[in-house]
Amino acid sequence: MEKRNYSFAQLGLLFGVFIGGGIATILFATTGNAIYFSIIGVGVAVGLILGAGYDQYKAKKSNK
């Protein structure tokens, strides 16, 4: 089986869900307000933006 290479955008999504989910779970457990689960979406968005930006930076750097 071949080793799969993951892009930084994919890893950013994964870590965004992980960090956002952790924060949302802690806030929900302390307050009981389910609206905090929307923080997961914020984590996904930030992770995707940072990962895609780094992918573009790396692609531009390798083309020079």
Side-chain angles (χ1 to χ4, degrees):
M1 186 175 271
E2 293 181 34
K3 184 178 178 184
R4 182 159 184 213
N5 293 327
Y6 295 101
S7 69
F8 286 103
Q10 292 171 331
L11 294 174
L13 280 169
L14 179 68
F15 288 123
V17 168
F18 177 70
I19 292 170
I23 292 171
T25 303
I26 291 169
L27 288 173
F28 175 71
T30 57
T31 64
N33 194 353
I35 194 72
Y36 288 117
F37 284 112
S38 63
I39 292 175
I40 297 171
V42 174
V44 167
V46 170
L48 179 60
I49 290 169
L50 292 175
Y54 191 72
D55 280 339
Q56 283 184 345
Y57 171 75
K58 207 168 117 177
K60 285 181 184 178
K61 191 174 180 181
S62 67
N63 287 339
K64 288 184 178 181

